Amino acid sequence: MDYTALLLLVLAGLGIFSGNSSVTIAMVVLLLLRVMNLHQTFPWLEKYGLTVGIVLLTIGVMTPLASGRITVQEVFASFLHWKSLLAIGVGVLVAYLGGRGVTLMSSQPAVVNGLLIGTVLGVAFFKGVPVGPLIAAGILSLLIGKS
């Protein structure tokens, strides 16, 4: 029995159960790659998947600026309001934690499983969003003292 495929199927089920299409799609794609014996794609996905995902996420976040829905004046005005300044500070903190998370995940791959399971559970049962592994790894790196 292919226990890895079974686990991917269970995680896809959790995605369906929680109504989180991102987790469901990701697990189904990985399951299809596994079932179709396209194992040669896994090293590429492991090496570049995170970078591609971050690029796509950045494109999605910056699209309102590029489309003109958010003006340059609104961007500059954000430096004048305390909520916007707080948002900038939180953004810097999250980027810092994400950077620490990437370092921890590459230096201690054993923690990746726990982070991924925790993220999927958070998505499935607490209506979270699956962007948590990097930030979770960053927080973990602060707790265990690894940078």
Side-chain angles (χ1 to χ4, degrees):
M1 176 173 254
D2 185 356
Y3 289 109
T4 302
L6 184 61
L7 179 59
L8 290 171
L9 194 57
V10 167
L11 293 173
L14 275 175
I16 292 168
F17 171 75
S18 67
N20 193 299
S21 60
S22 300
V23 170
T24 305
I25 292 167
M27 295 307 121
V28 169
V29 166
L30 292 171
L31 185 59
L32 286 174
L33 291 174
R34 187 168 180 83
V35 170
M36 294 171 58
N37 207 23
L38 295 172
H39 296 268
Q40 67 272 17
T41 60
F42 291 138
W44 187 90
L45 287 171
E46 282 184 49
K47 186 172 183 179
Y48 300 109
L50 186 61
T51 301
V52 170
I54 290 171
V55 168
L56 290 173
L57 182 62
T58 304
I59 289 169
V61 169
M62 296 305 292
T63 297
L65 179 65
S67 71
R69 195 169 65 85
I70 295 176
T71 66
V72 174
Q73 292 81 7
E74 288 174 311
V75 172
F76 287 129
S78 69
F79 289 99
L80 303 176
H81 194 274
W82 73 269
K83 288 181 182 177
S84 296
L85 289 172
L86 186 60
I88 290 168
V90 169
V92 168
L93 177 63
V94 167
Y96 168 73
L97 289 174
R100 286 184 64 110
V102 168
T103 301
L104 179 72
M105 289 171 82
S106 36
S107 68
Q108 295 189 34
V111 302
V112 173
N113 297 329
L115 293 168
L116 294 177
I117 290 169
T119 298
V120 170
L121 291 174
V123 168
F125 296 111
F126 300 107
K127 301 294 183 205
V129 179
V131 295
L134 290 177
I135 305 308
I139 293 169
L140 180 63
S141 75
L142 291 174
L143 296 174
I144 65 175
K146 302 290 181 186
S147 61

